[in-house]
């Protein structure tokens, strides 16, 4: 008994010594602020136990990403179209030799023999096994067992650890460290209470999406004179001069990717009805997308009551343009997670990118590593019906073009979170992938009802314009919407969409557009934006500020600081959106067993994506590469688009910006002119 006491006392004294004995040239590297209540800290981990250690090394050259991407996507570059392999990307951004050397030396000096240290395949981290004793000595820390009350699992973790000052800049994170993979309480609570509600929620969503059912159950696809009433595939083909597909066999490497989440499942009956009446049977019944189910995602529902209008809309817009080419339906997150995505405004994009690029799972930038435990879903998801598998990392190859009709307010998410994700779009752009995001359905404002209250606008007076993310990321293409107004035909110029009765896709539906508060104007767009300001200066006060990397833009104070005392309502130095546009109102779609009219920039994104898929098809058949990141070539040759010069995008109590000659923050550079685009892109190497 006595000896036990002595040991306990010794341990306590040692603990004290450990804490005070941190050498002056060491600093805290990571420290846990709060312990999530699902975890309990228990006893010290046994000193002889082996820990699988990982040292996440700081990536290098991320600031050169823009130039690298321009090098392969600027049409005037001799490397246009020469996309990188995944390994090229890893090598370009791998930690510097200095980082690798210094960290390795520090480990060896700290008692970890070189022979035990291995270097990960993506060069991002060192891995080795160390006893708890060794790791504690190395990191001036103590490891305790933490028990998870949800799963009963136990994992080793520390409250804080220390590194030599001169080593800190080379290291992003160390595991086991302070990270415990647990979802945040508010999420967990909301989700659990929502499971029985999920089905009801779907019904609500459907009611929400019923717009208008055709009086006679059909819109006539052979009659172009009614395109001002309902947009059919024939109207779209006529608007953008898209010829029938000439090739017989689809290229094996050119499926068109469509991202879906939020319980958006297609219904085969609706697809078949659409194929029958709107493609004259050219697309046979039973045609459906290639399934790409990510972390428990599911494709289709047989029950028409649960038809996902977004998913049906996206597929029905893309199929007539690309068929016999296939569509790939990326369904992201399990059923439970999908039913809650609107609570976090993350839309599952991080989980999606993990599945497309395994190195993203552990990629660190802006102090974010991997999925954010506060924002992104952790897998396995222990709830009943949750995805019981591991988080998918690099499971699916990205298609050349991916259409994403989802997005939220730039101000919904911390800057670090969105900037890290934006870098990943750059990395995939280098590999030849085009991302096209809907620009938003609320003009210069945003979907009302979250942090900033009922207006969807920002700032002290709730009148500051609020652009839609991720379209504001400079490495993706943002797609706005136009409309064929009553009395107009497909041969008249289109106008920017404004549909005050645009319910349900939005109240006062108008084309999302404006200027980022996070990203500066990229070079490829600089001249277009400055021409807009020069020739068509908007009649509103502006400010010129960008949110800093450490700002938490979801805090009202940060947004107020951006605007300052200027009284301005839009940012004069931010990236402008959208880049391009397509028709997005009164789209005839079969969903839930009926023809309906639907729309939104949600419709515009898959149309433009399908056009680029067709152009890539021709390029691939000619032995060329896919285009990859689109914006540099779009801004270099705007003449291949139909410039839209009429209409505005109202919001925040204003009429919004105006569509004018040249680029504008309403319809971007304009809508596709397929023959001109094809001619241009076929001339490029
Ligand atoms: C559809 O329009 C075409 C061309 O205007 C017309 O010949 C045909 O009768 C119409 N079909 C129906 C079912 O209205
Ligand atoms: C398709 O891609 C695979 C591997 O990515 C390649 O081996 C194959 O040659 C490609 N097929 C064609 C027809 O280009
Ligand atoms: C196709 O259109 C006709 C009217 O021309 C309509 O009677 C029929 O119900 C439609 N088919 C489907 C599957 O909706
Ligand atoms: C295809 O499916 C639709 C909807 O179920 C149906 O109306 C149509 O008759 C079918 N066509 C064929 C050729 O089976
Ligand atoms: C990252 O964290 C370090 C220390 O924890 C801090 O000094 C730095 O400002 C942070 N950087 C960003 C971009 O948040
Ligand atoms: C829609 O626009 C009308 C007219 O500009 C305006 O009165 C109304 O407040 C707007 N509604 C919303 C929800 O913004
Ligand atoms: C950002 O601020 C909001 C509101 O103050 C807070 O709820 C959230 O946790 C903060 N996020 C981060 C990453 O600091
Ligand atoms: C211009 O757009 C408005 C809607 O903003 C529309 O009512 C009008 O018909 C359009 N004019 C022309 C000439 O297209």
């Amino acid at each position: 008994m006595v000896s036990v006491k002595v040991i306990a006392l010794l341990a306590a004294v040692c603990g004290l010594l450990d804490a005070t004995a941190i050498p002056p040239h060491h600093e805290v590297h990571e420290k846990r602020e709060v312990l999530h209540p699902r975890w309990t800290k228990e006893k010290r981990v046994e000193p002889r136990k082996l820990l699988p250690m990982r040292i996440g090394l700081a990536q290098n050259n991320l600031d050169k990403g823009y130039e690298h991407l321009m090098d392969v996507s600027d049409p005037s570059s001799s490397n246009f179209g020469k996309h990188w392999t995944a390994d090229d990307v890893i090598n370009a951004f791998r930690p510097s030799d200095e980082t690798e050397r210094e960290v390795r030396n520090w480990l060896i000096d700290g008692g970890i023999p070189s022979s035990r240290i291995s270097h990960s395949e993506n060069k991002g981290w060192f891995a080795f096994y160390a006893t708890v004793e060794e790791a504690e000595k190395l990191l001036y820390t103590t490891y305790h067992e933490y028990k998870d009350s949800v799963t009963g699992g136990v994992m080793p973790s520390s409250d804080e650890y220390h590194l030599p000052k001169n080593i800190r800049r080379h290291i992003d994170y160390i595991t086991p460290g302070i990270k415990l993979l647990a979802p945040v309480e508010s999420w967990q609570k909301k989700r659990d209470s929502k499971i029985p509600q999920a089905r009801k929620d779907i019904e609500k969503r459907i009611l929400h999406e019923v717009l208008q059912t055709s009086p006679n159950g059909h819109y006539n696809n052979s009659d172009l004179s009614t395109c001002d009433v309902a947009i059919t595939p024939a109207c779209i083909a006529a608007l953008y001069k898209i010829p029938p597909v000439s090739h017989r066999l689809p290229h094996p490497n050119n499926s068109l990717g469509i991202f879906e989440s939020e319980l958006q499942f297609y219904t085969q009956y609706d697809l078949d009805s659409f194929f029958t009446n709107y493609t004259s049977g050219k697309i046979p019944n039973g045609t459906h997308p290639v399934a790409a189910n990510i972390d428990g995602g599911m494709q289709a529902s047989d029950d028409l009551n649960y038809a996902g209008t977004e998913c049906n809309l996206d597929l029905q817009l893309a199929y007539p343009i690309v068929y016999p080419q296939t569509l790939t339906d990326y369904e992201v997150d399990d059923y439970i997670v999908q039913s809650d995505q609107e609570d976090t405004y993350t839309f599952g994009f991080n989980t999606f990118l993990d599945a497309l690029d395994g190195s993203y799972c552990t990629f660190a930038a802006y102090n974010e590593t991997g999925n954010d435990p506060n924002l992104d879903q952790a897998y396995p998801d222990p709830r009943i019906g949750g995805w019981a598998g591991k988080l998918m990392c690099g499971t699916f190859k990205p298609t050349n073009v991916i259409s994403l009709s989802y997005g939220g307010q730039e101000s919904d998410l911390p800057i670090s979170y969105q900037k890290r994700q934006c870098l990943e779009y750059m990395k995939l752009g280098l590999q030849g992938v085009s991302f096209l995001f809907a620009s938003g359905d609320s003009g210069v404002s945003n979907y009302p009802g979250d942090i900033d209250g009922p207006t969807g606008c920002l700032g002290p007076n709730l009148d500051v314009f609020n652009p839609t993310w991720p379209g504001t990321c400079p490495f993706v293409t943002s797609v706005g919407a136009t409309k064929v107004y009553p009395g107009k035909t497909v041969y008249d110029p289109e106008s920017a969409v404004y549909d005050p009765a645009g319910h349900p896709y939005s109240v006062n539906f108008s084309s999302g557009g404006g200027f980022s508060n996070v990203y500066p104007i990229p070079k490829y767009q600089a001249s277009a934006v400055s021409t807009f300001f020069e020739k068509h200066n908007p009649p509103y006060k502006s400010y010129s500020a960008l949110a800093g990397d450490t700002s938490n833009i979801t805090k009202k104070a940060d947004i107020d600081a951006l605007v300052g005392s200027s009284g301005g309502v839009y940012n004069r130095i931010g990236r402008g959106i959208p880049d391009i546009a397509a028709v997005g109102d009164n789209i005839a779609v079969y969903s839930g067993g009926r023809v309906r009219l639907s729309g939104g920039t949600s419709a515009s994104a898959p149309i433009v994506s399908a056009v680029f898929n067709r152009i890539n098809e021709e390029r691939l058949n000619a032995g060329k590469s896919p285009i990859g990141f689109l914006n540099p070539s779009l801004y270099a040759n705007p003449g291949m688009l139909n410039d839209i010069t009429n209409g505005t995008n109202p919001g925040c109590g204003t009429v919004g910006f105006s569509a004018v000659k040249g680029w504008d923050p309403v319809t971007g550079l304009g809508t596709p002119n397929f023959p001109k685009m094809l001619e241009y892109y076929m001339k490029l190497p």
Side-chain angles (χ1 to χ4, degrees), residues 46-244:
E46 246 251 56
R48 298 269 162 95
K49 200 176 151 83
L50 277 183
L51 296 179
M53 303 297 298
R54 269 193 184 192
I55 314 276
L57 303 170
Q59 295 233 332
N60 199 15
N61 297 328
L62 284 170
D63 52 330
K64 301 214 177 88
Y66 180 86
E67 280 135 60
H68 289 322
L69 186 58
M70 290 312 115
D71 189 49
V72 296
S73 19
D74 183 334
S76 66
S77 160
S78 57
N79 289 323
F80 176 85
K82 293 185 184 152
H83 299 122
W84 295 14
T85 63
D87 282 344
D88 293 339
V89 173
I90 285 167
N91 283 327
F93 302 110
R94 68 182 280 173
S96 68
D97 291 348
E98 186 202 354
T99 290
E100 289 177 13
R101 195 176 50 241
E102 303 254 315
V103 174
R104 189 185 285 276
N105 287 344
W106 163 69
L107 289 174
I108 294 169
D109 290 348
I112 311 297
S114 179
S115 57
R116 237 199 273 164
I117 305 168
S118 63
H119 201 176
S120 70
E121 220 168 282
N122 71 6
K123 309 297 175 206
W125 30 271
F126 284 134
F128 56 91
Y129 280 93
T131 63
V132 167
E133 206 169 13
E134 284 173 326
E136 289 187 342
K137 211 174 114 215
L138 185 69
L139 303 174
Y140 290 91
T141 187
T142 52
Y143 282 100
H144 283 81
E145 290 183 351
Y146 285 76
K147 186 165 183 188
D148 178 14
S149 59
V150 178
T151 60
V154 173
M155 75 184 273
S157 185
S158 64
D159 293 332
E160 61 176 32
Y161 62 89
H162 302 79
L163 295 178
K165 282 179 197 161
N166 61 327
I167 289 292
R168 288 193 57 205
R169 68 193 169 94
H170 298 304
I171 293 182
D172 273 309
Y173 63 98
I174 295 181
T175 62
I178 63 162
K179 202 165 173 177
L180 288 164
L181 295 170
V184 154
E185 178 184 39
S186 57
W187 262 56
Q188 192 67 30
K189 269 203 195 131
K190 266 189 215 155
R191 293 248 184 97
D192 288 352
S193 67
K194 264 195 178 172
I195 296 169
Q197 269 266 284
R199 296 229 125 195
K200 278 220 182 92
D201 286 347
I202 310 179
E203 283 168 48
K204 248 192 288 167
R205 192 184 307 277
I206 284 170
L207 288 177
H208 194 63
E209 280 176 352
V210 172
L211 226 200
Q212 192 181 319
T213 301
S214 154
N216 57 7
H218 186 54
Y219 295 105
N220 188 342
N221 188 43
S222 348
D223 190 354
L224 290 178
S225 73
T226 54
C227 294
D228 60 339
V229 177
I231 297 289
T232 61
C235 302
I236 294 169
L239 276 169
Y240 306 131
K241 304 191 169 67
I242 306 172

Side-chain angles (χ1 to χ4, degrees), residues 502-575:
H503 164 83
Y505 16 103
S506 156
V507 185
N508 288 346
F509 169 35
S510 66
S511 181
F515 299 91
S516 171
N517 287 312
V518 176
Y519 304 99
I521 302 172
K523 270 189 229 143
Y524 62 73
Q525 189 188 45
S527 127
V529 171
S530 82
T531 304
F532 171 74
F533 285 142
E534 214 172 279
K535 301 226 170 110
H536 309 278
N537 204 20
Y540 311 115
K541 274 194 177 166
S542 66
Y543 54 93
S544 295
L546 293 169
D549 284 350
T550 52
S551 146
N552 171 357
I553 201 167
T554 58
K555 271 196 196 130
K556 201 177 162 300
D558 286 331
I559 295 158
D560 295 352
L562 278 184
V563 178
S565 56
S566 64
V569 297
Y570 73 94
N571 193 6
R572 194 80 169 184
I573 61 170
R575 143 122 163 99

